[in-house]
Amino acid sequence: KASETPATPKTPLKDKRLSGILKTVGVNSPRSPNRVTFPPPSNIRETLSNLDDDAVSSLVHQLESLQGASLVLWLEELTSSVSLLDRRPERGQSVESLVAELLKIKWEDKEEEVAFAYIALLAHLVSACPCYTRAAVKSLFNRFKPAGERDKRSVDAIIFKRVHTALQCLLEVSPVGAREEALNLMAEAFPYFKLSPYRQVCFVSALLEMTSYVPDSRLRVLTIIVEKIIKLDAHLSREHVGKELKEGDKKPNDPMVETLDLLMKLMLTYINTNTHHEA
């Protein structure tokens, strides 16, 4: 009946559809070891229904202090109440502020159970509240631009794999919306061309990886990368580039020359891999 209270959405670990999606893209729900946990308050749905700035600050503060199984419990509870995060004029800015803070939570380098729970939350959020699709996709793109350098490559590799998984999940629950936002953000989210070579290479590698699962994205990706390479090349004289590269395999001293060199190698490797096949 119309007067009946809507059923509470299922949690991510019990949602058969989402579990199937996660398994499709290679994510399995990890088993949480027995440990002391700090579950969310029983009135969290009431809090989400009547959000104000103080409630947002309190929730965010508590989330930031949690880790492991406790953080998983909170993420699952938020997921079960995700419909309450819908953006409506009468709700004011508080609900949008909470979602913005949720999208900033560091999950990508935490325990596998946390990553699984967060990806599930993100997928449910986009499915239930499509108005957040752009913000969700953008939050994932930003994680392809690590703050560290090469010494963090092993950790970054794990992070990038998880972020690709999250993006694939969004594409599963929102094939049209998530794809459109991904295509739009490929150029918008591109790192400033003077940033470190490592950050540039990480982002370009991520774009090239996306061509394997974002439908009809190859031409868009290659066009963006070529345009960025041309822009970078335009800031460097031929003589300067030649001088930097003349010593063979020695690493260029100029970061921009190194970036140009690495991006060219990435592109040539990608083209060779995708256009040359043994008979």
Side-chain angles (χ1 to χ4, degrees):
K1 297 179 182 179
S3 60
E4 293 178 345
T5 302
T8 300
K10 297 178 181 179
T11 61
L13 302 184
K14 295 180 181 178
D15 187 325
K16 293 182 179 179
R17 179 168 178 264
L18 181 60
S19 295
I21 291 172
L22 292 171
K23 288 179 180 179
T24 297
V25 298
V27 177
N28 294 307
S29 172
R31 291 181 177 273
S32 301
N34 294 326
R35 65 183 75 169
V36 177
T37 58
F38 300 93
S42 58
N43 66 337
I44 191 168
R45 285 184 62 83
E46 181 182 347
T47 301
L48 293 175
S49 298
N50 302 282
L51 276 177
D52 56 29
D53 292 344
D54 290 338
V56 171
S57 298
S58 177
L59 282 171
V60 171
H61 176 73
Q62 292 179 76
L63 282 167
E64 289 176 342
S65 68
L66 298 170
Q67 57 184 340
S70 295
L71 180 54
V72 170
L73 290 175
W74 279 70
L75 292 174
E76 290 181 2
E77 187 62 32
L78 286 169
T79 299
S80 71
S81 307
V82 75
S83 61
L84 298 175
L85 299 177
D86 193 19
R87 185 170 61 197
R88 295 187 295 272
E90 65 271 17
R91 306 269 335 255
Q93 293 296 315
S94 295
V95 66
E96 293 184 48
S97 298
L98 177 58
V99 172
E101 293 300 325
L102 291 176
L103 295 177
K104 295 177 185 177
I105 291 176
K106 281 188 66 64
W107 59 274
E108 63 275 14
D109 59 349
K110 296 187 182 297
E111 299 94 334
E112 186 180 0
E113 60 182 322
V114 172
F116 176 88
Y118 188 90
I119 292 172
L121 170 61
L122 209 59
H124 275 82
L125 177 67
V126 168
S127 178
C129 311
C131 57
Y132 296 120
T133 303
R134 178 178 176 81
V137 175
K138 186 175 182 179
S139 75
L140 296 178
F141 269 69
N142 287 337
R143 286 170 167 81
F144 287 130
K145 297 179 283 187
E149 290 298 328
R150 292 178 175 84
D151 59 332
K152 303 291 185 181
R153 280 184 296 182
S154 58
V155 175
D156 287 338
I158 295 173
I159 290 174
F160 298 154
K161 182 177 180 180
R162 290 176 172 179
V163 177
H164 280 298
T165 296
L167 187 52
Q168 287 175 268
C169 284
L170 296 194
L171 288 165
E172 288 285 347
V173 299
S174 178
V176 176
R179 175 183 176 274
E180 180 180 357
E181 297 299 350
L183 292 177
N184 290 335
L185 285 164
M186 285 176 176
E188 293 179 35
F190 209 97
Y192 181 54
F193 69 93
K194 289 187 178 181
L195 291 180
S196 72
Y198 180 67
R199 297 186 76 181
Q200 305 271 358
V201 167
C202 286
F203 191 80
V204 169
S205 297
L207 291 187
L208 293 173
E209 176 68 21
M210 284 183 217
T211 63
S212 67
Y213 62 83
V214 179
D216 301 320
S217 62
R218 179 179 293 183
L219 178 59
R220 172 79 170 164
V221 168
L222 295 182
T223 300
I224 290 170
I225 297 174
V226 169
E227 288 176 349
K228 297 300 180 180
I229 289 176
I230 292 174
K231 181 178 180 180
L232 181 59
D233 182 64
H235 283 77
L236 299 165
S237 69
R238 181 174 300 180
E239 293 75 16
H240 179 62
V241 174
K243 180 180 179 181
E244 286 285 317
L245 298 177
K246 71 178 181 179
E247 298 186 34
D249 296 330
K250 183 179 178 180
K251 176 183 173 181
N253 293 317
D254 187 326
M256 290 176 64
V257 173
E258 183 184 1
T259 298
L260 180 62
D261 184 45
L262 291 173
L263 295 190
M264 288 293 294
K265 288 177 180 177
L266 269 178
M267 281 290 289
L268 293 173
T269 299
Y270 179 85
I271 293 171
N272 182 68
T273 302
N274 288 274
T275 60
H276 291 72
H277 303 283
E278 294 183 5

